[in-house]
Amino acid sequence: MHLAEILNWRSVPAAGISMGLTRRCPLHCAHCSTQSSMTSEQHPELLFKRFVASFSHESRPAILAMSGGEALLRPALVSALAKSARRCGTTSSVLSGLFFARTHDGTKIPAPIRVAIDAVDHFSASLDAFHEAEVPWPNVRRVLRTLLDDGKDLSIHLVGRDADDPYLTTRIAAVRRHFGTHIPMLVNQVASFGRARAWTPMVMTKRPARVEAQPCTMAAWPVMGFDGRIVACGNDDAMDRMPGHLVLGHASTHTWAQIRERTLESSMMRAIRLYGPDYLAARAEMHPSGCAAGCRTCMAMSGDALVEERVRASIAISMQKQSTRVLEAAAGELIRQGGALAFARRNGVARYAELALLGAT
């Protein structure tokens, strides 16, 4: 499964689910969005297995995307979930910081981890200057070469300090030199989340005189956290703050079919995907800090009961109209037509978006 196939689905509501299997990680990256460590929380395997077991041929996500923390600290769980998902037609991926290549040259992958990598349909490696301080690039390169030679579908999630970080230019050139077009890359920049919040300033955008609708694709896939809580957003703050309007349920009490229905049918979720939070806030005459803040606006909607009530009231009637359903379908089709490239431009460093298509047929 190529990276482009995953990104093609990424903007489609309930087409996939992201699942954080653990918040533990042996690395100490200064930009870690989840502030993971080896003493962070980790919940029983049964929580994750039960939820994936609720997938069926009639109701299933197309993609199960696993991460952490460091998901490959639980290789047996990764393998079990990938196999369980595949039985009903769901493909799977796992994202790793390659911690296992820290202390050797990368030519030998530990057997349990190799079994887990073989079990998924796509393997992604996190790569940035912070990871490389602990897992050297030559070791990463050898791991990728081993997997590539064995026919594994791979990608690199590459992160720079900002869009102009020379590290990105240097590492992209090295990847292309060693692997040609065989490993696609999704390129992003450090955001003010987790540990990076202490040293990365929050980008403040002046609110325009007229706030236009801006569909939010981050509310497309449900996200299951390390403790089983499920939210409707891929923003790391959503899991930390758990704003009420984004909460979908819990893996211990809800099935995939129930989470899917809430994702697709909730008037609030539909409105956020169609109009975006800034537009909804403007309609409800609410806007925090006077800024067009996107995600921050969305997080603030549940910070005040009166504000959330006003937002819900402003969409209650409009989201029930047949004309709104028609508009949703048209907007969704336009987003789907943009595919992987549009997603990479919108949610990554735009100038490098086409790297996500390397090797795609």
Side-chain angles (χ1 to χ4, degrees):
M1 179 171 63
H2 192 279
L3 174 63
E5 296 178 62
I6 299 174
L7 299 186
N8 280 335
W9 285 109
R10 188 58 188 82
S11 300
V12 179
I17 182 168
S18 297
M19 188 176 288
L21 304 187
T22 179
R23 195 176 159 214
R24 293 180 184 173
C25 181
L27 304 184
H28 309 85
C29 301
H31 69 318
C32 182
S33 61
T34 56
Q35 303 190 63
S36 295
S37 73
M38 283 304 290
T39 59
S40 297
E41 64 263 37
Q42 179 168 282
H43 293 263
E45 292 188 356
L46 183 60
L47 182 69
F48 305 93
K49 291 179 177 179
R50 176 200 174 277
F51 186 75
V52 174
S54 75
F55 297 176
S56 68
H57 288 285
E58 295 72 31
S59 181
R60 59 174 175 79
I63 299 170
L64 167 64
M66 295 174 278
S67 63
E70 173 52 71
L72 289 180
L73 285 175
R74 311 186 85 175
L77 179 58
V78 171
S79 298
L81 296 181
K83 292 174 182 177
S84 177
R86 183 174 294 115
R87 282 194 283 270
C88 60
T90 297
T91 56
S92 61
S93 67
V94 67
L95 175 66
S96 172
L98 304 187
F99 73 97
F100 52 87
R102 284 179 302 173
T103 56
H104 60 81
D105 65 5
T107 56
K108 183 173 176 57
I109 301 172
I113 291 176
R114 184 56 196 266
V115 170
I117 294 173
D118 288 344
V120 299
D121 299 285
H122 186 92
F123 178 75
S124 293
S126 291
L127 190 60
D128 50 65
F130 308 99
H131 280 92
E132 288 192 37
E134 300 186 59
V135 186
W137 160 243
N139 294 11
V140 171
R141 189 182 70 226
R142 293 185 188 102
V143 169
L144 295 177
R145 171 53 63 187
T146 296
L147 296 173
L148 187 64
D149 288 348
D150 289 342
K152 195 70 190 176
D153 281 323
L154 307 174
S155 66
I156 292 173
H157 284 207
L158 189 63
V159 176
R161 288 178 178 267
D162 54 47
D164 299 316
D165 189 344
Y167 168 82
L168 293 176
T169 305
T170 300
R171 190 52 66 232
I172 289 169
V175 172
R176 296 297 303 274
R177 184 169 60 252
H178 288 284
F179 302 107
T181 62
H182 294 294
I183 300 183
M185 290 171 270
L186 182 61
V187 184
N188 217 315
Q189 63 188 65
V190 173
S192 187
F193 296 119
R195 290 192 191 120
R197 200 188 301 275
W199 55 269
T200 302
M202 180 73 74
V203 177
M204 303 293 285
T205 306
K206 184 178 180 180
R207 181 185 180 184
R210 177 181 175 83
V211 179
E212 303 288 347
Q214 185 64 44
C216 176
T217 56
M218 291 302 289
W221 285 18
V223 177
M224 177 176 162
F226 322 109
D227 59 358
R229 295 179 296 173
I230 304 173
V231 295
C233 177
N235 184 309
D236 291 295
D237 273 353
M239 193 57 65
D240 288 340
R241 301 182 185 183
M242 296 296 289
H245 68 287
L246 295 180
V247 174
L248 295 174
H250 198 283
S252 65
T253 55
H254 293 88
T255 65
W256 164 254
Q258 292 170 319
I259 296 300
R260 179 181 183 275
E261 181 179 9
R262 293 183 178 192
T263 301
L264 296 178
E265 297 303 326
S266 161
S267 292
M268 179 67 82
M269 293 302 97
R270 290 170 51 219
I272 289 173
R273 287 195 296 267
L274 179 59
Y275 299 116
D278 288 317
Y279 183 79
L280 295 181
R283 283 178 56 175
E285 299 181 349
M286 159 261 179
H287 220 296
S289 306
C291 296
C295 292
R296 283 183 292 122
T297 300
C298 194
M299 296 300 135
M301 285 183 186
S302 287
D304 184 308
L306 178 59
V307 167
E308 185 174 357
E309 181 181 347
R310 287 169 63 183
V311 172
R312 291 187 183 277
S314 73
I315 65 175
I317 297 176
S318 64
M319 297 311 294
Q320 301 306 315
K321 294 179 179 178
Q322 184 58 35
S323 59
T324 303
R325 293 280 186 179
V326 173
L327 183 59
E328 282 181 272
E333 182 58 28
L334 286 174
I335 291 172
R336 284 190 290 274
Q337 287 177 6
L341 187 58
F343 181 86
R345 284 176 176 157
R346 186 170 55 248
N347 296 287
V349 178
R351 75 180 68 163
Y352 297 123
E354 292 189 1
L355 295 175
L357 306 183
L358 288 176
T361 55

